[in-house]
Amino acid sequence: MQLLHILQLLVLMTLANGTPIVAKKIFGSRFSFPLDAGTIVFDGRPLLGPSKTIRGILISVLLTTASAPLVGLDLTIGAIVAGAAMAGDLFSSFVKRRLNFPPSSQALCLDQVPESLFPMLACRDALSLTIADIALGVGIFFVGALILSRLLFRAHLRDEPY
């Protein structure tokens, strides 16, 4: 079991997923360009929706990459974690739009699993993670994300408690 690596990844995944939320509070609507540029796809729904922004992706990748050495990991691992976490978040948004969920709505599991599973899988070989390590990391992230979201809502950093 790679407990240290799991903890390091949890810190980076939390940072990667939380940075866009904090950036929204800091910058408001400034620099908030939708990643999908308002694209409507075959089903008449947005590709991703307005809450997925270029600003959020960029700031997540930059800060998570820069923070990796602070938790004892290489910059490359930080970039991989951020990119994979954002890919998981975009995947969730794409699926939620197809299921007709409104932007920023809650979809239990769909909101937490891809944004933790994708980075864990992406780092599997580099950090010698087992399936048990990945399952533990995703499970901890799932529970932690639910708790942290409520705390961030109470601190007025999130618009919704999920």
Side-chain angles (χ1 to χ4, degrees):
M1 176 117 350
Q2 297 282 341
L3 191 56
L4 177 59
H5 286 319
I6 293 169
L7 294 174
Q8 291 166 315
L9 288 174
L10 286 167
V11 169
L12 292 180
M13 289 185 301
T14 301
L15 183 62
N17 287 295
T19 303
I21 295 165
V22 174
K24 179 181 176 186
K25 286 297 179 186
I26 292 171
F27 295 110
S29 62
R30 290 179 307 225
F31 316 114
S32 181
F33 306 107
L35 187 63
D36 66 5
T39 302
I40 304 298
V41 294
F42 62 90
D43 59 3
R45 296 183 183 110
L47 178 64
L48 300 170
S51 63
K52 301 304 167 196
T53 65
I54 294 170
R55 175 192 65 203
I57 301 291
L58 288 177
I59 202 158
S60 175
V61 171
L62 290 173
L63 284 173
T64 305
T65 300
S67 298
L70 299 176
V71 297
L73 293 173
D74 187 76
L75 291 170
T76 305
I77 296 295
I80 290 169
V81 168
M86 292 297 94
D89 188 49
L90 295 174
F91 171 78
S92 296
S93 290
F94 177 81
V95 172
K96 285 166 62 173
R97 296 304 81 77
R98 305 296 65 80
L99 296 173
N100 206 27
F101 281 77
S104 300
S105 62
Q106 184 181 30
L108 196 60
C109 290
L110 188 55
D111 287 326
Q112 298 84 19
V113 173
E115 59 194 45
S116 58
L117 179 61
F118 287 19
M120 297 289 290
L121 290 173
C123 294
R124 179 185 63 217
D125 291 339
L127 300 178
S128 302
L129 300 174
T130 66
I131 292 173
D133 295 332
I134 293 168
L136 179 62
V138 171
I140 293 170
F141 184 87
F142 177 82
V143 172
L146 295 175
I147 294 167
L148 188 58
S149 289
R150 283 166 178 74
L151 293 174
L152 292 174
F153 176 72
R154 287 186 180 176
H156 305 289
L157 291 174
R158 286 193 66 104
D159 295 333
E160 304 292 339
Y162 47 80

